[in-house]
Amino acid sequence: MTGFALGHGFGDRCRSPEPRPVALPADFLARWTPDFQIYRVARSYFAKLDYAALKPAISKTYYVKSTGSDAAAGTAEAPLLSLSTALAKSDVDEVVIDCSGGDYIMRGARGWNNTQPSRDVSVRVIGPGRAISVATASSSLPTWVNTAGAVYKTMISAASARSVIDLANKEADGFYQRLAEVGSTGAVASTPGSWFHDGTDLHAQAFDGRNLVGDALLLPCGTGNNCRVPSADRTIYIDGVDFVGGVPLNFTAAGAVDPLVVALNCSFQGSHNQSANNVTIFGPGRFYFYRCGSGRAYRDGFNYHGNAFGDPKFFENECWTGLSGYVGTSDNASTAHENAVGIRLNGRYAGALNRTVADINGTMIAIFGCTIGQPRTVAGGMECLAQQNSNKTYIAGVRFESGGNAELVVTGTASVARRDMPAPARAATVEDVGTLTGW
């Protein structure tokens, strides 16, 4: 929530400006009437949404802890070991992950592990530690053997090593380090922070060159789903979990369903190298992300698509992104496709390979108070914000950090209406029969 701007002078003029509700345009409301209200104070924006009210009713809680056992009762005194075991219980309404003793790194089946709950469920964490669900192929630690210098190897299938994440270190943007895939063992030896799979063994060198024998934090991840949202009319409420590797969060509708996904204070990191996004949404439902981060994605940070069963409605509130995109000029920080409808509010989007925020093909989007940074490459489109092909977007109070790149590009039959915009460093570009107007 953005704080109120202070007034100047005396008497009534000294009071903070009153928040005013923002009226979403009629064509937006025709596609989605959100169950929350956006407000404006001066040139700041915030939303009033009681996230706690979206939490499912609780009648049965299971506890999970690193010292637990999956044969236990799942009480606070006798916790389970695995999150997946708790989520699979037929009577579960809530899972509490006890991280009071520090971070709990839940490898493989100890994490979410593609489990699809059969009921509405919430997951929360007791700190101060973090709950980290890692999409490794096994719950066991890799057995690293030194080969030469700072290079180590472990026997693991290629399918189980599609990204390598170092939980020992974070980059400046707060996301865990992702090692770069290189083409030979020799390249690993000369490149700190790299890995190579020779068909039998994974060879790796950590960024910090540390001894990996017995290491519990440099982890190869596979291609499986990490957090899997079932294709059902179900509420999934998650507070305080980091999802690392595989497909960190995946929903694909297989019918005309209406799920509600609420993620608070979560992160999605390190999707696998077979064209995976960190957050992948296909089909109808509501998807609310509050103070969530997405970084080190192989492709997109947040990705939304409509499909034959309907269109997603998404709300990214105070979210941020780090480096995403390792292969193509369409790798974005946040992107919506095929009739998706969404709101981005007070987010900070940066680190994409190209087109930091991009929406395309019949989407309806509103963006308030966000900062959108320049992409990492100058090849291709190189836009901060790209709106394409019959997309309609309303933007207000958006600040661009263009670094000389194009700030806003409108192409095809896309239409963008804007207001409360800081003076652009470069004029917006309108191509084909796209339109750019005031709002």
Side-chain angles (χ1 to χ4, degrees), residues 97-332:
I97 307 172
D98 187 346
C99 297
S100 57
D103 293 348
Y104 182 15
I105 300 172
M106 302 176 290
R107 299 181 302 272
R110 294 182 185 177
W112 197 289
N113 196 41
N114 197 40
T115 308
Q116 300 182 65
S118 61
R119 297 163 56 91
D120 294 348
V121 68
S122 63
V123 178
R124 64 181 176 90
V125 177
I126 298 174
R130 295 286 295 180
I132 308 168
S133 177
V134 188
T136 56
S138 170
S139 299
S140 301
L141 288 172
T143 302
W144 295 104
V145 177
N146 183 240
T147 57
V151 178
Y152 295 78
K153 71 175 183 179
T154 186
M155 182 178 291
I156 187 172
S157 71
S160 299
R162 293 303 189 186
S163 65
V164 181
I165 309 297
D166 191 353
L167 302 183
N169 298 295
K170 293 182 178 180
E171 300 289 359
D173 56 13
F175 296 101
Y176 296 115
Q177 290 182 330
R178 177 186 184 127
L179 277 65
E181 183 179 7
V182 294
S184 67
T185 55
V188 173
S190 61
T191 311
S194 66
W195 66 273
F196 170 72
H197 199 283
D198 65 8
T200 302
D201 295 323
L202 171 68
H203 303 258
Q205 179 183 176
F207 281 97
D208 57 12
R210 69 182 183 275
N211 183 352
L212 296 181
V213 175
D215 190 271
L217 299 176
L218 192 80
L219 298 176
C221 299
T223 59
N225 292 311
N226 198 327
C227 177
R228 176 73 179 275
V229 177
S231 178
D233 296 341
R234 199 149 295 148
T235 296
I236 306 295
Y237 185 103
I238 312 166
D239 191 350
V241 180
D242 297 323
F243 296 97
V244 178
V247 182
L249 187 148
N250 186 21
F251 167 75
T252 301
V257 296
D258 187 26
L260 170 63
V261 176
V262 181
L264 317 176
N265 308 304
C266 295
S267 75
F268 309 95
Q269 308 186 41
S271 58
H272 68 73
N273 69 354
Q274 302 295 293
S275 296
N277 309 306
N278 274 350
V279 173
T280 297
I281 305 297
F282 275 93
R286 288 175 294 154
F287 304 89
Y288 294 172
F289 299 95
Y290 177 59
R291 293 184 176 176
C292 290
S294 181
R296 303 303 178 272
Y298 192 71
R299 299 302 299 258
D300 299 325
F302 295 92
N303 179 291
Y304 309 91
H305 285 256
N307 69 5
F309 303 107
D311 310 321
K313 314 299 190 293
F314 69 89
F315 182 31
E316 295 172 8
N317 186 4
E318 297 186 24
C319 293
W320 71 97
T321 63
L323 185 149
S324 293
Y326 288 79
V327 288
T329 59
S330 61
D331 295 338
N332 316 119

Side-chain angles (χ1 to χ4, degrees), residues 351-368:
L353 185 61
N354 203 298
R355 299 181 178 93
T356 307
V357 174
D359 303 308
I360 188 172
N361 292 347
T363 55
M364 178 70 72
I365 307 295
I367 306 175
F368 300 96

